[in-house]
Amino acid sequence: MQPAIRNGREIQHTKTKRHFNMGTTFMYIVLTLWALTTIYPLFWIVNNSFKVSRDVMNKSFSLALDPVFVNYTTAFERINIGRSYINSLIMSCSTVLLVLLFGGLAAYVLARFTFKGKRFIYSLLYATLLVPAFATVVPVYELLIKTSLVNTYWGLILPQTAGNLTFATLVIAGYMTTIAKELEEAAFIDGCNRWQMFLKIFMPVSRPVFASASIFVFLWSYNDLFSALIFVNKEKVRPIVALLNEISSQYGTDFGLMATAVTLTVMPILLIYLFISKFIQKGLTEGAVKG
């Protein structure tokens, strides 16, 4: 009986291993194909940025074996893309800092304090996520006109901060509820007040979720074409996404220049993601445990 049992177990183990290997192989194939749908368009754009417009039209899918840099020179000299770069970074980075500051403080209060109306505030915050941004454009624009903030940096920073604040507050609050109560008690014993506790305990411990929130807020504010076209349509404060909208009308069918502008627009997002990507999954998953 023992050899028969042993052989039966070996056959079952072989079948399980074969099934596991086939399932894993299929999963990797699907994930690879899915990744190519994102990677190839990016490669196509970068590759065509090193071609003149004529070659982009006639040899769109060929490799740029003889790259030219005239499109990059044109982007910085003729359409002043460097200025739009600076505008975008100023507005997006300022938005991220304000959202993390006010969102972090609000999340700390919601996560670590017990008070009347707390459930109502949570319900109100979740309800605001259902309001589309388009519904608030007219009142926000009127408010900016009255305060003389149209076509200024603050004219885009403040609306984007308000629009992203709810998301950041809820995500950070969900993470802070998972922090051990013992850390808070130990800080009280050491003489920390609430402000010191937030700066020295909760902010360092919550770095993963702050990094997660920052990349999403930066991405959304950086790519916010709708608000940029309405609130800051002057050249001196025009962000790079608004500049992309004007290249086709200003310079006709210069597809090489368009590919270059898109490449320069995407690069900051990729670089920032590479630096803090390790925090994103940890921050979002751990913040979803409670809240």
Side-chain angles (χ1 to χ4, degrees):
M1 291 296 294
Q2 291 181 354
I5 294 174
R6 189 183 301 113
N7 292 336
R9 289 177 178 175
E10 290 177 355
I11 294 173
Q12 184 178 3
H13 178 70
T14 303
K15 290 181 178 180
T16 303
K17 185 176 181 181
R18 184 180 302 169
H19 176 72
F20 174 77
N21 290 336
M22 290 178 63
T24 304
T25 302
F26 177 75
M27 180 184 67
Y28 277 111
I29 291 174
V30 172
L31 291 177
T32 301
L33 293 175
W34 190 9
L36 288 176
T37 62
T38 301
I39 296 173
Y40 181 76
L42 179 61
F43 169 77
W44 184 87
I45 286 291
V46 176
N47 182 60
N48 282 317
S49 70
F50 294 101
K51 302 177 184 177
V52 295
S53 183
R54 181 182 63 258
D55 291 339
V56 174
M57 293 295 297
N58 298 330
K59 305 174 183 178
S60 178
F61 297 97
S62 63
L63 293 177
L65 299 178
D66 188 17
V68 294
F69 296 91
V70 64
N71 293 323
Y72 288 90
T73 304
T74 302
F76 283 97
E77 293 182 355
R78 228 165 85 189
I79 64 175
N80 199 16
I81 199 172
R83 179 63 186 177
S84 297
Y85 243 136
I86 295 174
N87 293 337
S88 290
L89 292 178
I90 290 174
M91 295 177 185
S92 298
C93 292
S94 299
T95 299
V96 170
L97 291 176
L98 291 175
V99 167
L100 293 185
L101 175 61
F102 294 114
L105 290 172
Y108 174 60
V109 173
L110 290 173
R112 311 305 294 194
F113 288 78
T114 302
F115 52 90
K116 291 183 179 180
K118 182 177 177 179
R119 288 183 176 273
F120 173 75
I121 293 176
Y122 265 113
S123 300
L124 188 63
L125 289 174
Y126 282 113
T128 58
L129 294 176
L130 303 177
V131 179
F134 304 99
T136 63
V137 169
V138 174
V140 170
Y141 189 66
E142 290 182 355
L143 184 62
L144 293 177
I145 291 176
K146 291 179 180 179
T147 54
S148 301
L149 292 178
V150 177
N151 292 320
T152 65
Y153 289 138
W154 288 108
L156 192 60
I157 293 172
L158 294 179
Q160 288 181 344
T161 299
N164 291 296
L165 196 57
T166 299
F167 164 79
T169 300
L170 293 174
V171 171
I172 297 172
Y175 187 95
M176 285 186 175
T177 55
T178 66
I179 297 176
K181 187 73 174 179
E182 289 75 14
L183 284 176
E184 195 171 0
E185 294 173 351
F188 269 125
I189 294 174
D190 291 338
C192 287
N193 56 36
R194 287 293 184 180
W195 178 250
Q196 291 173 331
M197 189 180 304
F198 174 73
L199 292 177
K200 297 181 179 180
I201 303 297
F202 282 88
M203 283 193 67
V205 174
S206 302
R207 280 182 300 176
V209 75
F210 274 100
S212 301
S214 67
I215 187 64
F216 284 108
V217 172
F218 184 89
L219 180 64
W220 292 334
S221 62
Y222 188 84
N223 292 329
D224 189 2
L225 174 62
F226 182 76
S227 298
L229 292 176
I230 296 176
F231 301 144
V232 285
N233 53 16
K234 296 295 184 181
E235 184 176 354
K236 63 178 182 179
V237 291
R238 181 178 56 193
I240 196 168
V241 289
L243 179 66
L244 289 178
N245 187 59
E246 297 184 6
I247 288 179
S248 57
S249 59
Q250 273 189 319
Y251 300 101
T253 56
D254 195 343
F255 295 103
L257 180 60
M258 177 64 74
T260 301
V262 172
T263 300
L264 293 173
T265 303
V266 172
M267 284 302 116
I269 301 295
L270 293 178
L271 293 176
I272 292 173
Y273 181 82
L274 290 175
F275 278 110
I276 65 175
S277 60
K278 63 181 180 180
F279 297 111
I280 293 178
Q281 184 178 1
K282 182 179 179 181
L284 291 180
T285 54
E286 292 189 16
V289 174
K290 297 181 182 180

